[in-house]
Amino acid sequence: MRAESSPAARTYDTILRFGGAVILAASVVVIAVRHRLVALGRVPQLGSRAPRDRRLP
């Protein structure tokens, strides 16, 4: 059972949850945009499947 928390603690918890959701959403957007740019050939592919002969800018 959870003890009653103060309004300040509930507000702080809400702010932390909102911040976490914003960071998660931003991460998904960054990954999606990066994937699209690689598919279009506008940025080089990174990671273990990247060609070894090309130099990165």
Side-chain angles (χ1 to χ4, degrees), residues 2 5-20:
R2 190 171 160 183
S5 57
S6 68
R10 285 193 301 265
T11 302
Y12 183 68
D13 187 49
T14 301
I15 291 169
L16 287 177
R17 288 176 191 263
F18 179 74

Side-chain angles (χ1 to χ4, degrees), residues 1-55:
M1 191 160 133
R2 190 171 160 183
E4 289 296 319
S5 57
S6 68
R10 285 193 301 265
T11 302
Y12 183 68
D13 187 49
T14 301
I15 291 169
L16 287 177
R17 288 176 191 263
F18 179 74
V22 168
I23 291 170
L24 178 63
S27 300
V28 169
V29 168
V30 167
I31 291 170
V33 168
R34 172 76 185 172
H35 179 74
R36 180 76 175 144
L37 291 175
V38 167
L40 292 174
R42 295 194 180 167
V43 295
Q45 184 177 10
L46 300 176
S48 60
R49 296 187 308 181
R52 300 280 184 213
D53 57 344
R54 287 188 5 192
R55 293 191 66 195

